[in-house]
Structures are given as structure tokens and as C-alpha cells.
Amino acid sequence: MSKLKLMYDVVNTMKDKEAISGALKVEGMKDQTKIVNFINQFEKNLSTGETKVKLSTELDYDGKKVKHESQTEFTMQGCQRKMHPGFMRHMRHHHHSHHCAENYDDLKCGGIKGKLTKLAFVLNLFNQIKMEEKDDKSVILSLNLNEIPEDMKKAIQERMSQRAMSEHQQHHHGFMKEFFSLQEPKIELNLWISENREVKKILVTVDGKQMNDLDENHNLNLKAELCLFS
């Protein structure tokens, strides 16, 4: 079976589901210290939009410890999220002020050439995915970003550097900036698909070294696991 046919079957199976439930777990380590532990258990009726969420967050970073737990229920009525017009003007200005800067201009530029370049990048990335078929008809898809072509690595590394700068400027969680600024990160993605062509689990792991302002090296590890229940 081709990867394209497999993904087509998966998309059709998932879009026909009436409800979805699962758990997202994120764990981050810096050397021997767990700096973040996040668990999101959720249930969502895809027809009515009724959603239940149970969150658990623990942070131990930069001398501060935070623990938070919450439960909430709400109803999502379609795509009603709107951006503030001032925010949109800022984003357009930000985009044009950095238009076609530095390397990989085609990935950032607009127009037909930019869109085709992005499409080629996505298709090339899709082509790097390995597919393993099991005896029970289930499938495991895997992608090791350290095995992709060098030009793609550089493009991804540049995006991560830009995200690290954005996190720093917007004063978001410091640990996120550290993961986006890893040196030569090892990133792996694994996707488990059942014989019924349902996504069962997605696992992303990130490993690398980060140098702080005192030129001290630290080992960082991030693991994000999404499990979907039938």
C-alpha cells in the first residue's frame, strides 16, 4: 500500500467519527530535572461541539515551581475564532518587513513561486516518511528529521531559531525558548495507525544540547505523546 493511499483512508476514517477522546502528555527534561509535565485529557462530540477537558500542569523552571489542575466543559460552534484587526495589521507589517530575508527566501516569500516551493517542501518531507506494515494490518509511520536532506534540515533549523526569537520577544515560557534554540536537535515522529485506519498514537521526541548565557551545556529532552481512544 502506498503512503498516499494510507493517509487518504485515515483522513476519511477520522472525519467520519462522531466523537473523539484521548490524552496528550508532554514531558520535558533538562539534565536530570523534569521541567515540565503537562497532561490534557479530552472528550469531544464532533457533531455538537460539546467538549470536556481535564488539564494537569507542573512546571519546575528557573527557580520557580507551578502546579495547576482544572476541568472545564464547553461547546465549540464551528470556527468562530477571530483575530483582532490591529493584530492582523501588525502581522502583515511584520511579514513585509522581513520579506525574502536571509536564506530560504522562497519558503517565506508569497506568490505562486513561494506556494510551489512550500508544496515541494511538504511533498519532499512526506517522501522521507518510512512505512512499516505489521502482521495485524496496522501500520507505523516514522520520520527522523536527522535523516532528511541537508537543505531541509537548514530550513527547519531556521524556523526553530525564528520561533525561539519570537518566544523571547513575547516573554512566553522560557523552557519553550530553550527547546526551540537546541543545537543540532534530534527530532523523531512516529504515528501508529490501526487496521481500521484510525490514528491510535502519535509520539514526538526531541533531544539536543542547549548552551546558556554562562556557556554551560545542558541536555534537553522533550517527549509529546497523543493517544486517541476508540
Side-chain angles (χ1 to χ4, degrees):
M1 174 184 293
S2 71
K3 289 181 289 187
L4 189 59
K5 176 62 166 63
L6 173 67
M7 296 310 298
Y8 176 81
D9 291 343
V10 169
V11 169
N12 277 329
T13 299
M14 299 303 291
K15 75 178 180 62
D16 289 338
K17 295 179 70 70
E18 295 183 357
I20 189 171
S21 63
L24 171 64
K25 300 179 181 180
V26 179
E27 180 180 286
M29 301 286 296
K30 183 174 183 179
D31 297 326
Q32 302 301 315
T33 302
K34 184 183 294 186
I35 59 176
V36 59
N37 187 46
F38 171 80
I39 301 176
N40 177 356
Q41 297 173 292
F42 59 90
E43 300 177 15
K44 181 176 181 179
N45 186 308
L46 300 179
S47 299
T48 64
E50 295 179 358
T51 305
K52 298 180 181 179
V53 176
K54 181 178 180 181
L55 298 176
S56 174
T57 305
E58 292 184 44
L59 296 176
D60 184 358
Y61 181 76
D62 199 22
K64 300 177 182 179
K65 292 186 178 182
V66 177
K67 186 173 182 179
H68 174 77
E69 293 184 355
S70 65
Q71 297 186 56
T72 184
E73 298 184 17
F74 56 91
T75 300
M76 298 182 65
Q77 299 291 345
C79 299
Q80 296 183 347
R81 294 168 54 190
K82 295 183 179 179
M83 295 292 185
H84 190 278
F87 173 80
M88 295 303 296
R89 285 195 298 270
H90 167 75
M91 291 304 295
R92 285 195 294 269
H93 171 75
H94 177 79
H95 172 76
H96 288 298
S97 64
H98 292 79
H99 188 62
C100 304
E102 300 179 357
N103 297 324
Y104 309 101
D105 295 344
D106 291 340
L107 279 175
K108 295 183 286 184
C109 293
I112 295 177
K113 184 178 180 181
K115 290 181 172 59
L116 290 176
T117 301
K118 291 178 182 179
L119 178 59
F121 182 88
V122 171
L123 292 176
N124 195 1
L125 196 63
F126 182 77
N127 191 49
Q128 305 298 320
I129 296 175
K130 297 178 181 179
M131 183 172 68
E132 180 183 359
E133 298 184 64
K134 298 294 186 178
D135 293 337
D136 61 358
K137 305 300 182 182
S138 64
V139 177
I140 299 177
L141 298 180
S142 60
L143 175 65
N144 186 334
L145 294 185
N146 293 89
E147 298 177 355
I148 64 176
E150 286 299 323
D151 58 336
M152 297 182 67
K153 286 184 186 179
K154 291 179 180 179
I156 293 174
Q157 187 68 50
E158 186 185 55
R159 288 295 299 272
M160 291 181 65
S161 297
Q162 292 174 347
R163 187 62 184 270
M165 182 64 69
S166 175
E167 294 287 335
H168 176 73
Q169 293 175 343
Q170 298 180 38
H171 306 290
H172 288 171
H173 292 302
F175 71 86
M176 290 302 297
K177 183 191 69 171
E178 293 200 37
F179 281 107
F180 283 121
S181 60
L182 287 176
Q183 300 174 355
E184 298 182 357
K186 298 178 181 178
I187 305 174
E188 295 186 19
L189 169 67
N190 291 277
L191 175 67
W192 283 261
I193 299 172
S194 72
E195 67 277 11
N196 298 322
R197 298 302 176 249
E198 293 182 335
V199 175
K200 303 303 294 182
K201 183 170 73 171
I202 300 174
L203 176 64
V204 179
T205 58
V206 181
D207 294 281
K209 293 184 179 296
Q210 183 264 345
M211 184 176 294
N212 63 16
D213 296 335
L214 300 176
D215 292 335
E216 298 172 333
N217 274 318
H218 296 279
N219 295 315
L220 279 87
N221 170 267
L222 180 70
K223 181 173 71 173
E225 181 181 78
L226 173 64
C227 294
L228 298 178
F229 311 136
S230 300

